[in-house]
Amino acid sequence: MRENVTVAICDDEEVVLPYLSRRIYEVFQKYRICVVTEEYSSPVELLKTVQNEKEYEIYFLDIDMPKMNGVEFGKIILQSQPEAVLIFVSAKEEYVFQSLRVHPFFFIRKSRFEEDLEQAVSDLSQRYQKAEPKTCTIWDELGHPFEMSLVDTLYLEAKDKYVNIVTKNGGFFIRNTLSDMEKTLEEYRFVRIHRSFLVNLRAIYMIKYDKVILDDGQELPLSRNKVAEVKRRFCQEV
């Protein structure tokens, strides 16, 4: 997927904006979509920003706002951005029919915000998924081929003259260097996080300043000089 999907969040209740922004960011991250969110308390202010040639890919909009409601804003946006994704967030569920005039991607009820947000992002994530191979061939030092699952492999760990390939269901050793494995697997979304570890980007749940946490809870060391590159690859390729 593209790095940093841009998201505008507009709600006239300024006190709720930080919460909306944080939760939207967190749920997108759960689905391996890196987003940059910006907050607006006025649709008029947001429109001025867009008219100054700063467009967003996704708009989270309250409907019932002064001066210009979310539906009116959506109509204007779609004239210049027909591919923009509109998602309405409203405490007034009776507005769902009014919102249909601009064909929103989803209508999130504030009374069921967490549940609806999860469903909206889950559905939206399908747009950013791309077909990719499920296995690849790796070789040991003697040229013997091994078929490796790109879905089930979590990470590779250097062990003396061998590499331990750790999967969801166990693992196996091949005689080779981690550097050679890195050259083979870089195009398949594996990243070097430490001199002893090569990790499948698909398996990463969270990146911290000194470690990487996998979906299954395992923690692996992250070298200080690798932090920026690992974060960049995670955002760009997952």
Side-chain angles (χ1 to χ4, degrees), residues 121-132:
V121 177
S122 174
D123 292 348
L124 190 57
S125 69
Q126 305 301 316
R127 295 192 175 196
Y128 298 96
Q129 291 179 352
K130 52 187 177 183
E132 59 183 355

Side-chain angles (χ1 to χ4, degrees), residues 89-119:
V89 183
S90 181
K92 298 185 177 181
E93 297 178 20
E94 63 270 22
Y95 285 156
V96 64
F97 297 107
Q98 180 182 344
S99 74
L100 295 178
R101 288 185 287 172
V102 290
H103 307 290
F105 183 82
F106 211 93
F107 187 99
I108 295 177
R109 300 161 290 181
K110 284 187 176 178
S111 61
R112 303 183 68 175
F113 177 74
E114 294 290 339
E115 177 183 343
D116 285 356
L117 176 63
E118 179 83 24
Q119 187 62 59

Side-chain angles (χ1 to χ4, degrees), residues 21-71:
S21 182
R22 177 175 61 83
R23 288 301 297 137
I24 287 168
Y25 174 86
E26 290 171 347
V27 176
F28 270 104
Q29 187 178 52
K30 176 181 175 181
Y31 284 88
R32 304 290 193 262
I33 301 173
C34 287
V35 297
V36 175
T37 62
E38 295 189 8
E39 305 168 13
Y40 295 86
S41 59
S42 163
V44 175
E45 175 191 356
L46 174 54
L47 184 59
K48 287 180 181 178
T49 300
V50 173
Q51 289 173 336
N52 287 329
E53 299 183 351
K54 183 173 184 178
E55 297 180 344
Y56 299 89
E57 296 177 64
I58 305 171
Y59 295 85
F60 283 83
L61 307 166
D62 191 3
I63 294 181
D64 188 21
M65 294 184 286
K67 296 185 180 179
M68 177 188 299
N69 66 41
V71 175

Side-chain angles (χ1 to χ4, degrees), residues 80-94:
S80 59
Q81 286 184 257
E83 299 301 319
V85 175
L86 304 180
I87 298 177
F88 289 116
V89 183
S90 181
K92 298 185 177 181
E93 297 178 20
E94 63 270 22

Side-chain angles (χ1 to χ4, degrees), residues 2-26:
R2 298 183 309 280
E3 183 177 0
N4 294 336
V5 176
T6 54
V7 176
I9 304 167
C10 187
D11 194 305
D12 63 316
E13 294 185 65
E14 292 188 52
V15 68
V16 305
L17 276 172
Y19 169 75
L20 295 177
S21 182
R22 177 175 61 83
R23 288 301 297 137
I24 287 168
Y25 174 86
E26 290 171 347

